[in-house]
Amino acid sequence: MDLSRLEQTLTAAGFTVVRCPTGREAREYLTGRFAGKTIGIGGSVTARDLGLYEALGEKNTVYWHWMTPGRETLEKAAAAQVYLTSVNAAAETGELLNIDGTGNRISAALGAHEVVCYLVGQNKVAPTYDEALWRARNVAAPLNARRLNRKTPCAQGEALKCYDCKSPERICNGLSVLWRPLGGAGETVVVLIEEDLGY
């Protein structure tokens, strides 16, 4: 895992990269940078562990379906000025990967916001795209399925791996891979955090 290589690769690709030694410093950066904005948050254990809903809620209107479930919250999050999400994996070669079950998180993150911000804990970083995809499918997705108590082989079985199941409760229905910031969107920020965060 080489955060310096990832930082250089992402910067060269046109992302705004912010590197934070701790989660606390990442939270302070985000609350200072986005004060006074409407903020949507995608499903993210990293955001939960950083206490972002509470911290950002002090000076912003925050929409997060984990705190206020429902279609209306999802729609307001997707239309917010700033959209925050984490990644399932990031490759040192520059790819940001996310797997989604319903599509709300990846579709909102790829939408037109003033800023889309990806949170990347150091545990999410893999050397290559293939290794990052492996991590997303065999580490992040099974852990998320277990968190959601899904009736899938990866959630019910002992081995932490993808079974490429056909279960109706499968959460691996879509994959987004971002190589560069999208041309029609605003700024894309990647916050690299030198701590293990999320799945």
Side-chain angles (χ1 to χ4, degrees):
M1 180 270 302
D2 188 343
L3 284 182
S4 294
R5 182 187 178 206
L6 177 58
E7 181 178 10
Q8 292 169 1
T9 306
L10 292 172
T11 300
F15 294 96
T16 300
V17 181
V18 177
R19 192 160 167 180
C20 298
T22 66
R24 178 183 56 79
E25 289 172 87
R27 184 173 60 247
E28 289 174 357
Y29 164 76
L30 294 166
T31 55
R33 166 84 195 266
F34 299 128
K37 301 288 187 180
T38 58
I39 298 178
I41 302 178
S44 169
V45 173
T46 299
R48 182 197 69 189
D49 291 349
L50 290 175
L52 290 182
Y53 181 81
E54 295 80 8
L56 291 166
E58 293 179 9
K59 296 181 179 178
N60 306 278
T61 301
V62 181
Y63 304 107
W64 195 14
H65 66 287
W66 281 16
M67 303 303 289
T68 309
R71 172 59 54 187
E72 183 179 358
T73 302
L74 291 171
E75 290 172 354
K76 288 181 177 178
Q81 293 169 296
V82 177
Y83 193 80
L84 295 176
T85 188
S86 50
V87 298
N88 294 136
E92 291 171 18
T93 46
E95 298 88 359
L96 303 175
L97 290 80
N98 268 317
I99 289 175
D100 206 344
T102 63
N104 68 286
R105 183 169 64 123
I106 60 176
S107 63
L110 299 177
H113 303 273
E114 289 180 15
V115 181
V116 174
C117 184
Y118 290 91
L119 309 171
V120 183
Q122 65 181 6
N123 53 311
K124 307 289 188 74
V125 181
T128 67
Y129 169 78
D130 287 341
E131 290 169 287
L133 180 59
W134 185 92
R135 186 199 188 283
R137 295 190 70 187
N138 293 282
V139 177
L143 288 172
N144 275 310
R146 291 178 184 190
R147 175 180 60 81
L148 295 167
N149 297 312
R150 294 300 180 98
K151 294 181 176 66
T152 59
C154 68
Q156 304 293 319
E158 291 183 19
L160 189 66
K161 67 174 187 174
C162 175
Y163 293 82
D164 196 19
C165 72
K166 304 298 184 270
S167 169
E169 294 197 22
R170 173 179 168 137
I171 65 167
C172 301
N173 295 327
L175 170 71
S176 72
V177 180
L178 202 60
W179 289 289
R180 298 178 65 85
L182 295 174
E187 183 182 15
T188 304
V189 177
V190 181
V191 179
L192 302 179
I193 306 166
E194 297 173 30
E195 287 184 355
D196 290 354
L197 289 163
Y199 301 152

